[in-house]
Amino acid sequence: MSTHGNRAVRQRVRAAATAAAAMALIAAPLCITTTASAAEAHVDNPYAGATQYVNPTYAAAVESAATRAGDPTLAAKMRTVAKQPTAVWMDRISAINGNADGNGLKFHLDNAVAQKGSGPIVFNLVIYDLPGRDCYALASNGELPATDAGLARYKTEYIDPIAALLADPKYADIRISATIEPDSLPNLVTNISEAACQQAAPYYRAGVKYALDKLHAIPNVYNYIDIGHSGWLGWDSNAGPAATLFAEVAKSTTAGFASVDGFVSDVANTTPLNEPFLPDSSISVGGTPIRSSDFYEWNFDFDEADFTAHMHRLLVAAGFPSSLGMLIDTSRNGWGGPNRPTAVSTSTDVNTYVNQSRVDQRVHRGAWCNPMGAGIGELPQATPAGYAASHIDAFVWIKPPGESDGASSDIPNDQGKRFDRMCDPTFVSPKLENQLTGATPNAPLAGQWFEDQFRTLVANAYPVIPGSGTNPTDTTAPSVPTRLTAGTTTATTVPLSWTASTDNVAVTGYDVYRGTTLVGTSTSTSYTVTGLTAATAYSFTVRAKDAAGNVSAASTAVSATTQSGSVTDTTAPSVPTGLTAGTTTSTSVPLSWTASTDNAGGSGLAGYEVYRGSTLVGTTTSTSYTVTGLTAATAYSFTVRAKDIAGNVSAASSAVSATTQSGSVTDTTAPSVPTGLTAGTTTSTSVPLSWTASTDNVAVTGYDVYRGTTLVGTSTSTSYTVTGLTAATAYSFTVRAKDAAGNVSAASTAVSATTQPGASTGSCSVKYTANSWNNGFTASVKVTNTGTSALTGWTLGFSFANGQSVTQGWSAEWSQSGSAVTARSAAWNGTLGAGQSVDIGFNGSHSGTNNAPTAFTINGAACTVA
């Protein structure tokens, strides 16, 4: 884990319901008689074409604040906020039936039925009571301990009653969007070194799995897993492991990837949706990359639009379907008001440039608790335009604006919530580079009404909140974009950039034209036009647009000519600088360095090679690497070289020396025995297994999986799929945990599973397409069952003609031996009905020729090539 990722990990505390002070304004719960009806089919985007539930409890609190506003304009804006849909938080067991802080779940569901018109309605629900909840912060610690007993209560007293209520037929017409356990899985990516997070880790995995299983079984429930935000998981060294972790948890569920409808970012946080004056995190100022500034700490993802696009790519590569949807909580990420910049900085100092240009006005991206100066962001909106790469299902308000993140002083309570100094405005925090927290003073407990902050959020909202209604008529077009410029072209592309437009409400995006042809849209102030012809002159213009559909006049045109033919890249990247060795162990040395750059118009950085003396010991795509397998009490010298996609390699960095620690303590303690071993849905040749993580006095390094007394595989996670089995055969499996010292636990309790009957063969067709670049390519494969009976446990086979290699695959278990490639069905797509298709794919490498395979088989039978 990189240190920069650890600096900005704290992000938000949640709210359960509105303060008791507002309850006097609430009418008695509705008594509703409904006729049960069948639930609609599960849709791709539940928000599309739907209204959303407006919480009357929250609306009453906002109305009460409006009567005390003392400013008619501010009061009118508050009343607009009162009409917005917000999520209902189940932050402890008593919240299900209702408690002193708010009405119960049934009250809200009944009100949602009453609010439903002729079209669909979405009810936003937050599942938030894991054992050991919020293992890193204190302000929102929960009621259940990270123990087996805590997990048992979570299942039987929390998830089971919620699922039973949601499954009531009278709520079948409500689309229930469940945000699953904010903070939990992201904490396991960046904060696993904390003892409390280590204790909570197995219960987070098991609890989220259980919640996904129970809720996915209800057809009108849509599961969205919390994904942190760009200032937490945006670094490559955090984002990649996060995608892997989310995939592992999804694959452990009964339905696999199908149990997850999407992910939600920025829950209860204030990271902006867009940084309009910092649209390109890769540029340099004064010769220094702006992402290296103190505020961004080498993170490429400056805002949530970039982060959700980044994570969607990684999640799909990890096996999730491309239809995966993303939600962004925009309830507090507007950052408007008088301190919002209106233009990009002209400074040549990188920190000054970033600080004068960013709309995020926090002292540090890790400042998460009731930040002063924040504002409400975009109003809730389904399928917002201009975010194609982010795959956004909706902007939502998961954190109701005005509910506290945490108390600014110690307040005794019976909710498990503790005093976190990040909520104390007088605290100088080491986590924030020794700066004051910037928290708003006089804050109550997390989840309770905090009117001082609410007034600020409404006043600083961006876009500005209209004074009445939710959709005021806007007939004013944005200003015309200026300073349209073309960058360095290639044979097929022209990069464009321009100065941001302004609008009376808000600019939502830009349309890019080649002559009179619309070629693309952008939510930032840059766009690269692709698919052009070499050695050809083009003219481009840009128009700005707003949410009401108003479009500006065209910018002044800019001309650009593409290069002639392909340009060979022979320029090596710059030499890595700042190579540093971190704290060593007796066998390892962690290294980090400053990123290299590649020549403009070149092929781009591919990664780094790490050398111990003259020996290549590893490669990485990030700017950190831990060298392992070293000898205790020994001095070593390390260098790093950068390489680009074209194969050019830089000179070696300056060497850094480091000495491993002397000796190590003999570890003779075996890990605890794995528990909860479970077999998932089998195929004719495989059995998926999952179990609860073991613990160890040092660390568990993996698990050995046995079929009877035969070792059949190892895993570093808490799941494994045993393959190569015989159809219609009963097997018994056990698991043993092991640590780095070679200690192995006793075997788990055995689990039995029987494989399905033999796979059917039949008619099939395969469509193979590939997009190549330099020495890489992405292949998409559509497999169709053209027979009359289902294919069960299918296996695709084909051979490469030109020595290509599969480097990473998705939606199937990919393997390669020589030129022969095999793709075995995953647990969630193992049955392919007559006439049905499945889309799978992979990334690969080639040496210059990339001819498509000419023959394919399914379960050994030849297929038609489509």
Side-chain angles (χ1 to χ4, degrees), residues 534-627:
T536 303
Y538 293 94
S539 177
F540 302 96
T541 55
V542 177
R543 295 173 181 263
K545 56 187 178 182
D546 61 21
N550 302 301
V551 181
S552 75
S555 67
T556 301
V558 65
S559 296
T561 301
T562 51
Q563 296 183 21
S564 56
S566 59
V567 177
T568 301
D569 177 12
T570 59
T571 303
S574 64
V575 177
T577 58
L579 179 60
T580 304
T583 302
T584 68
T585 70
S586 59
T587 60
S588 66
V589 174
L591 303 173
S592 61
W593 56 90
T594 300
S596 297
T597 57
D598 195 37
N599 56 307
S603 55
L605 277 175
Y608 301 88
E609 296 176 344
V610 180
Y611 288 82
R612 185 186 70 240
S614 59
T615 302
L616 176 65
V617 292
T619 61
T620 179
T621 58
S622 70
T623 55
S624 62
Y625 185 83
T626 298
V627 184

Side-chain angles (χ1 to χ4, degrees), residues 811-832:
S811 300
E813 296 179 11
W814 293 88
S815 60
Q816 183 174 354
S817 176
S819 63
V821 177
T822 301
R824 292 183 175 86
S825 58
W828 57 271
N829 63 8
T831 299
L832 194 58

Side-chain angles (χ1 to χ4, degrees), residues 74 219 235 255 266 289 330 361 392 404 451 489 497 507 550 563 586 600 608 677 722 781 785 842:
L74 183 62
W235 288 271
D266 221 19
T330 57
Q361 294 297 302
I392 297 176
S404 174
E451 193 154 319
T489 68
S497 60
V507 175
N550 302 301
Q563 296 183 21
S586 59
Y608 301 88
L677 178 61
V722 184
V781 185
N785 178 7
F842 62 90

Side-chain angles (χ1 to χ4, degrees), residues 337-534:
N339 295 324
R340 182 182 175 93
T342 58
V344 67
S345 172
T346 58
S347 175
T348 56
D349 175 79
V350 68
N351 283 315
T352 302
Y353 178 91
V354 165
N355 292 336
Q356 290 180 347
S357 301
R358 59 182 168 94
V359 299
D360 188 341
Q361 294 297 302
R362 288 176 291 180
V363 296
H364 189 283
R365 291 183 98 190
W368 56 269
C369 192
N370 303 316
M372 290 188 291
I376 291 173
E378 294 279 355
L379 300 185
Q381 178 186 352
T383 58
Y387 298 90
S390 298
H391 298 268
I392 297 176
D393 281 351
F395 296 147
V396 289
W397 283 7
I398 301 300
K399 169 79 169 181
E403 293 186 348
S404 174
D405 289 330
S408 51
S409 58
D410 192 13
I411 300 176
N413 67 93
D414 61 356
Q415 302 175 35
K417 298 170 182 175
R418 298 159 61 193
F419 176 41
D420 194 307
R421 292 299 301 276
M422 292 292 286
C423 301
D424 179 0
T426 68
F427 179 54
V428 177
S429 173
K431 299 174 185 175
L432 307 181
E433 302 296 326
N434 295 315
Q435 301 179 86
L436 289 169
T437 63
T440 305
N442 305 314
L445 286 174
Q448 296 186 354
W449 184 250
F450 187 13
E451 193 154 319
D452 286 352
Q453 193 193 41
F454 179 66
R455 291 174 63 93
T456 301
L457 291 172
V458 175
N460 282 356
Y462 190 90
V464 175
I465 296 174
S468 62
T470 58
N471 293 298
T473 301
D474 175 14
T475 59
T476 304
S479 64
V480 177
T482 58
R483 298 174 61 184
L484 177 61
T485 305
T488 303
T489 68
T490 70
T492 59
T493 65
V494 174
L496 302 172
S497 60
W498 55 90
T499 300
S501 296
T502 58
D503 187 61
N504 63 317
V505 179
V507 175
T508 59
Y510 300 87
D511 290 335
V512 181
Y513 288 83
R514 185 186 70 240
T516 59
T517 301
L518 177 65
V519 292
T521 61
S522 174
T523 57
S524 68
T525 56
S526 63
Y527 184 84
T528 298
V529 184
T530 60
L532 304 177
T533 303

